[in-house]
Amino acid sequence: MIDNPHYAQVTQGDFKLHDLGDLLLESGETLRGAKLAYRTLGRLNAEKSNAVLVTTWFSGTGKVMQDVYVGAGHALDPERYFIVIVDQLGGGVSSSPQNTPAPQAMAKFPRLSIGDDVQAQHRLLVDRFAIERLALVVGGSMGGQQVYEWAVRYPEMVERAAPIAATARISPHQRVFVDALKEAITSDPRWNGGWYASGLDVRDGMDRMARIVAVLGWSPQFYAEERWRSVLGMTSLDDFINGVMKAYFEPMDPNVLLSEMHKWQRADVSRHTGGDLAKALARISARTMIMPISHDQFFPPEECEADCALVPGALLRVIRSPEGHMGLNGFEPGYMAQVDRHLNALLAT
């Protein structure tokens, strides 16, 4: 185990841990003493009809979702909804490689799936809050993959679904891309098979990974228009790479990122239907709004549109953002204004 302040309350703010006990994973392994981190905002009404579940993306935490997507003036307003934000398993705050004791610590942390996340979240909502119906499940990127899993796995429980910048099944293009991210970390000589004393020991590998993410995470237009100046306030490309990308990943744990990458590469709701994606998405009964980002190179709009065509009654709403996939972080005001407008429309149905 490693004490990493990045994942502690001093950095992540107020969250609680739900004890899941021994969680049987899709891999067949059992995660012993599993704990799911969550935070709630607002109050659950007497009918328990105003619950909203918010999921997290690769490298992101519940605090990011709270700070960017939730609050007065947003569609996800705690004055109207009981909002539950969950940190995915293996993401650093919930049970993860760096905070799990032996014999499942560090490099021996079990391999997880998006399905394991949703199973754990389901247990939290039912056991802790006795919630039987969700007004909305919403999340971006890997969080959006969890939204699809929820809508396919528990269709009777999901009233509305809003995957943002995500697809229901990972593409071969992304699998290859994530392989490059993995290799960037594990090729660092100080990686030591995942048995480092501190995540900072693997700084060179993490920096290489950050630069690779910068290639597809931001759009060509972002670079051509030097939006790292106007949007992020950086003074040069080197300033941007060092001061934003490398600085963002540096405090994180390498095993945590690899754990998330393993899930990311295998996200596929068609595993519920023998590989038939159309059959899997036909299970969805939720009122669904699929929201790709216009310049996204991780989950291109045309891939999201193809999913939309397979979800009964689904609406496609493209979010215009020259930032690309990293626009999820809400750097430009126009991004959240669009998300809130679309979510408000969905919640009004």
Side-chain angles (χ1 to χ4, degrees):
M1 295 174 66
I2 292 177
D3 182 22
N4 187 325
H6 177 73
Y7 302 110
Q9 287 192 333
V10 65
T11 304
Q12 296 301 326
D14 188 28
F15 63 84
K16 298 177 182 177
L17 292 173
H18 179 64
D19 190 352
L20 294 164
D22 292 344
L23 182 65
L24 179 61
L25 306 174
E26 288 189 349
S27 67
E29 192 171 355
T30 296
L31 178 57
R32 310 289 176 184
K35 293 178 174 58
L36 189 67
Y38 71 98
R39 62 192 72 203
T40 63
L41 299 99
R43 292 186 178 183
L44 188 62
N45 62 21
E47 298 80 14
K48 297 187 177 180
S49 62
N50 68 332
V52 171
L53 179 67
V54 181
T55 54
T56 54
W57 56 61
F58 169 71
S59 78
T61 63
K63 185 177 189 304
V64 174
M65 302 309 295
Q66 178 180 346
D67 290 348
V68 177
Y69 286 80
V70 179
H74 288 297
L76 304 184
D77 186 344
E79 290 296 317
R80 298 173 59 199
Y81 300 103
F82 177 64
I83 300 166
V84 183
I85 307 175
V86 287
D87 278 87
Q88 61 179 283
L89 295 168
V93 187
S94 295
S95 287
S96 300
Q98 93 293 347
N99 64 22
T100 296
Q104 294 185 310
M106 304 291 285
K108 290 187 177 179
F109 189 72
R111 300 294 190 187
L112 302 171
S113 71
I114 296 291
D116 297 326
D117 282 314
V118 171
Q119 177 194 181
Q121 293 161 16
H122 182 269
R123 286 174 55 177
L124 165 72
L125 294 171
V126 172
D127 296 347
R128 174 73 66 173
F129 302 109
I131 291 172
E132 298 179 355
R133 187 96 170 143
L134 289 164
L136 172 68
V137 184
V138 58
S141 195
M142 277 189 74
Q145 292 174 326
Q146 293 165 63
V147 173
Y148 274 115
E149 179 74 15
W150 260 102
V152 170
R153 188 170 186 146
Y154 300 110
E156 74 290 344
M157 192 170 174
V158 181
E159 189 171 349
R160 300 174 186 84
I164 305 172
T167 54
R169 178 165 61 190
I170 196 70
S171 69
H173 173 256
Q174 275 200 67
R175 281 197 293 269
V176 173
F177 171 72
V178 178
D179 276 340
L181 302 184
K182 288 181 175 180
E183 186 175 6
I185 292 176
T186 59
S187 62
D188 188 320
R190 300 188 69 185
W191 159 247
N192 194 33
W195 297 101
Y196 42 82
S198 165
L200 293 175
D201 293 348
V202 196
R203 181 177 294 168
D204 288 348
M206 294 281 276
D207 283 354
R208 284 195 296 273
M209 183 205 67
R211 188 177 289 274
I212 296 171
V213 172
V215 175
L216 287 186
W218 302 88
S219 73
Q221 185 175 340
F222 171 82
Y223 289 102
E225 296 179 358
E226 297 188 350
R227 293 176 69 85
W228 35 265
R229 294 186 192 272
S230 58
V231 175
L232 301 178
M234 309 310 285
T235 57
S236 67
L237 270 177
D238 285 342
D239 193 34
F240 162 67
I241 294 295
N242 292 325
V244 175
M245 297 307 299
K246 292 181 180 179
Y248 172 73
F249 286 109
E250 185 171 282
M252 299 180 190
D253 183 84
N255 273 315
V256 163
L257 297 181
L258 288 164
S259 178
E260 292 181 302
M261 288 177 200
H262 181 85
K263 291 190 290 182
W264 179 2
Q265 283 188 308
R266 290 160 180 79
D268 182 0
V269 296
S270 75
R271 74 191 190 288
H272 293 292
T273 51
D276 188 332
L277 183 62
K279 188 175 180 180
L281 294 180
R283 289 186 178 185
I284 297 176
S285 58
R287 295 192 286 279
T288 303
M289 183 176 285
I290 295 170
M291 290 185 274
I293 295 175
S294 58
H295 292 59
D296 194 343
Q297 298 181 96
F298 283 3
F299 299 94
E302 59 269 22
E303 293 181 8
C304 300
E305 186 174 1
D307 284 344
C308 188
L310 299 177
V311 178
L315 299 174
L316 185 77
R317 297 291 183 266
V318 179
I319 302 167
R320 300 296 303 178
S321 176
E323 273 57 71
H325 192 74
M326 298 299 283
L328 279 167
N329 292 279
F331 295 111
E332 53 175 331
Y335 169 82
M336 274 312 303
Q338 293 175 79
V339 171
D340 285 329
R341 183 171 69 253
H342 296 324
L343 288 180
N344 275 325
L346 178 62
L347 286 162
T349 62

